[in-house]
Amino acid sequence: MKVVALGATPLALAGCSGELSTLDPAGPRAENLATLWWVMFWGSVVLFALVMVLFALAYLRKDWIERVTPGQWIIGGGLIMPIPVLVLLTGTALVLGEQLLPHGEAPLEIEAHASRWQWSFTYPDGRTMPDEVLHMPAGQPVDFIITAEDVIHSFWIPRLGGKIDAVPGHTNVIRLEADRPGTYWGQCAEYCGEGHDVMFFRVEAHEPDVFAALMESGR
């Protein structure tokens, strides 16, 4: 069992990184989501371990279990045991979730328009780029204005933050930020038809001065 566990560990950890991994954050909002995931994970591990201990005692120390009255099971197992873990999980979710909300105005807005099966991006003053690459400055928040042309899509850059639906006839806004310059990947996270599997887009986060020069050149 030790050999199997040691051999499986690298495989399990490999799933925590990658171009589309939410557990490999590259922005403050993605960091919040990853932290919340780990808190939820370890909270569930604690609850599972407690239940397994009781399960083992039922086989190995049956006389101990028989001493516990039904009322003690209800109070201890139904209230005392789960409440601290659930309070911790709920409190963490509320705090981290509130931090995901946009506060104040972002210095930059970029429109992301979805249609089957591609994304188009419009920058301030109506600037567009000839390719389907999303350009953004690193180190500062950006409000993405999300719209759709035909069916419901979903705008998602896993390493920068959560996802939000693109709904025809409706505008949604999500605030994201990249910690550092680099290349990230986004995708449509809502099944939208036969071309859904190719509805990816590349995200290029630039130094602010490089992004400003790119906007001036329009290329």
Side-chain angles (χ1 to χ4, degrees):
M1 291 298 295
K2 289 182 179 180
V3 173
V4 172
L6 290 173
T9 299
L11 294 177
L13 294 177
C16 298
S17 61
E19 295 174 343
L20 296 173
S21 174
T22 57
L23 300 181
D24 187 15
R29 286 162 176 78
E31 183 72 39
N32 276 9
L33 292 174
T35 299
L36 180 59
W37 189 93
W38 283 112
V39 170
M40 294 286 186
F41 172 77
W42 288 114
S44 66
V45 168
V46 170
L47 283 176
F48 180 78
L50 290 173
V51 172
M52 289 299 101
V53 168
L54 294 175
F55 185 72
L57 288 175
Y59 279 91
L60 303 177
R61 292 290 186 270
K62 188 177 294 186
D63 55 324
W64 292 5
I65 299 299
E66 290 174 347
R67 297 175 190 170
V68 182
T69 65
Q72 290 173 330
W73 276 117
I74 293 173
I75 296 174
L79 296 176
I80 296 177
M81 185 176 74
I83 281 180
V85 176
L86 293 177
V87 167
L88 173 63
L89 296 180
T90 303
T92 303
L94 289 175
V95 172
L96 294 178
E98 194 277 336
Q99 294 175 5
L100 295 176
L101 299 176
H103 298 286
E105 294 185 3
L108 177 67
E109 290 185 353
I110 298 175
E111 297 179 15
H113 184 70
S115 59
R116 291 184 294 187
W117 286 274
Q118 63 182 6
W119 294 90
S120 60
F121 306 105
T122 305
Y123 302 89
D125 299 329
R127 292 185 180 89
T128 59
M129 297 292 176
D131 51 20
E132 295 180 21
V133 178
L134 170 58
H135 299 276
M136 62 182 292
Q140 69 180 58
V142 178
D143 277 351
F144 291 94
I145 314 302
I146 312 300
T147 57
E149 180 177 329
D150 33 48
V151 298
I152 295 177
H153 303 273
S154 188
F155 180 85
W156 191 26
I157 308 173
R159 295 189 63 201
L160 299 187
K163 57 188 175 182
I164 192 167
D165 282 346
V167 182
H170 182 76
T171 298
N172 285 326
V173 179
I174 186 171
R175 182 168 296 180
L176 301 175
E177 181 178 343
D179 284 336
R180 55 192 177 275
T183 299
Y184 308 99
W185 287 90
Q187 66 181 74
C188 174
E190 179 80 23
Y191 181 72
C192 52
E194 61 183 8
H196 168 74
D197 58 331
V198 297
M199 201 169 170
F200 290 87
F201 58 93
R202 193 170 85 246
V203 182
E204 294 289 346
H206 309 276
E207 292 286 0
D209 55 342
V210 175
F211 177 79
L214 182 67
M215 290 296 98
E216 288 297 327
S217 67
R219 292 176 293 144

